Amino acid sequence: MLTSTFVHLNGIGPATERRLWDSGIADWNTFRRETQVPGISPARKVAYDADLTVAQTHLDRHNARYFADCLHTRDHWRLLPTFGARALYLDIETTGLSARDGQVTIVGLYRLGRMRTLIHGESLTQAAIQDELDQADLLITFFGTVFDIPYLQTCFAGLRVEIPHFDLCFAARRVGLQGGLKSIERELDIARESDLLQLDGLEAVRLWQQYRTGQEAALDQLVRYNAADTRNLEPLAACLYEQLVVRYGPPAPARRG
DNA sequence: TTAATGACTATCCGGATCGA
DNA sequence: TCGATCCGGATAGTCATTAA
């Protein structure tokens, strides 16, 4: 999918990219082999060839950060096959107040098949979050561009997010799935433990308050709730990716990594 | 309830093409 | 080579949506 992408080139949008695909130019190599491309002047063709060579170099070096900068966030989903193996799935819980007045209570991090839970007052530090981000190639959240990441960056000034960010909330909307994480999970038959089905973000706030008054079991349930939210982002991302490819990707023969 | 972002829409402007 | 035309990318403004 990534080597079929042309919208990162200055002056090429979705319509031109679609036209390229329809004319048989399905990937970077094919584009560069052509001596001329209809609708693109020879001078621009030379510039684009150079840009694609640079992009190929970064792809060969597995440099996801390059594509974070040159691709619109709307198109970061295209990076899933290439960088998904080293994706970091992230979900936070808070005290329920605004980022200025509140606190992060739990940070769930799922990477390489391993769940890590950072708890306020115990393991939750800026360094721990930064360490996970630095080791990942792709960040995947639900509504994280609006809520999780800005909240974390308010609580932990200087936290750097330099990797591409695939926000599943807006991806879901683009394929016609409205609603929050739980309702979309139900719609796509993504399972979670039955005793966690009734929980939501506000309940998570109450569980934290109960834990602070000494109820250890509340923390256990909160951690499991957060882990379910975080882990379920993986099958949700895969499902949404498939739908995005059908809707916005190249014709079937060109759909590769 | 608040804040912030993406989606959507309208408009503008630049670039490519084509004919004289 | 120049000018007219058209296409489409860029931009600005507005609206809808979601998180805890």
Side-chain angles (χ1 to χ4, degrees):
Chain A
M1 181 67 225
L2 180 54
T3 56
S4 297
T5 293
F6 295 97
V7 288
H8 63 292
L9 298 172
N10 200 8
I12 291 189
T16 302
E17 183 182 63
R18 174 71 54 187
R19 191 165 47 80
L20 290 173
W21 291 339
D22 290 344
S23 67
I25 299 174
D27 55 44
W28 299 346
N29 283 338
T30 308
F31 185 96
R32 284 185 293 179
R33 272 201 303 271
E34 297 290 324
T35 51
Q36 64 182 65
V37 176
I40 293 174
S41 67
R44 293 188 86 170
K45 170 75 167 61
V46 169
Y48 288 159
D49 285 347
D51 289 343
L52 292 177
T53 300
V54 171
Q56 184 66 57
T57 303
H58 285 287
L59 176 57
D60 293 342
R61 291 176 184 167
H62 220 74
N63 180 15
R65 284 153 180 79
Y66 169 78
F67 297 100
D69 293 334
C70 69
L71 266 179
H72 195 286
T73 51
R74 177 180 59 212
D75 294 309
H76 284 192
W77 63 272
R78 299 176 186 225
L79 301 169
L80 186 67
T82 309
F83 299 109
R86 279 166 49 89
L88 173 66
Y89 300 86
L90 180 147
D91 183 55
I92 71 170
E93 313 302 331
T94 75
T95 49
L97 302 172
S98 70
R100 253 201 325 262
D101 305 318
Q103 283 178 330
V104 179
T105 57
I106 301 276
V107 177
L109 303 155
Y110 185 65
R111 187 169 62 84
L112 298 171
R114 189 177 65 91
M115 185 68 213
R116 183 179 182 188
T117 304
L118 305 177
I119 301 171
H120 179 81
E122 297 179 16
S123 51
L124 177 55
T125 63
Q126 179 170 336
I129 304 169
Q130 190 69 64
D131 180 53
E132 291 286 345
L133 285 167
D134 289 345
Q135 292 188 60
D137 283 338
L138 177 64
L139 175 64
I140 299 180
T141 67
F142 190 92
F143 208 55
T145 50
V146 177
F147 181 74
D148 300 64
I149 298 306
Y151 204 110
L152 283 172
Q153 288 180 321
T154 299
C155 295
F156 300 104
L159 186 73
R160 289 173 286 103
V161 181
E162 294 166 337
I163 52 178
H165 185 173
F166 180 15
D167 191 323
L168 304 184
C169 176
F170 298 104
R173 273 191 225 169
R174 293 183 80 193
V175 299
L177 291 167
Q178 293 275 351
L181 177 59
K182 281 77 178 174
S183 72
I184 291 173
E185 278 181 9
R186 280 194 296 275
E187 198 154 340
L188 297 176
D189 284 329
I190 297 173
R192 66 168 58 205
E193 294 168 59
S194 58
D195 68 318
L196 300 176
L197 288 173
Q198 304 308 317
L199 298 184
D200 60 14
L202 291 177
E203 189 61 31
V205 173
R206 276 193 285 273
L207 285 171
W208 179 257
Q209 289 166 352
Q210 289 169 14
Y211 163 65
R212 298 297 279 180
T213 62
Q215 300 180 47
E216 287 290 330
L219 178 63
D220 175 67
Q221 194 173 19
L222 177 57
V223 167
R224 288 197 301 118
Y225 163 73
N226 172 261
D229 267 10
T230 310
R231 278 206 201 91
N232 278 2
L233 296 178
E234 187 177 42
L236 179 58
C239 191
L240 292 175
Y241 173 82
E242 292 302 324
Q243 296 192 36
L244 286 164
V245 168
V246 170
R247 207 175 270 237
Y248 300 103
R255 289 179 201 158
R256 288 190 302 271

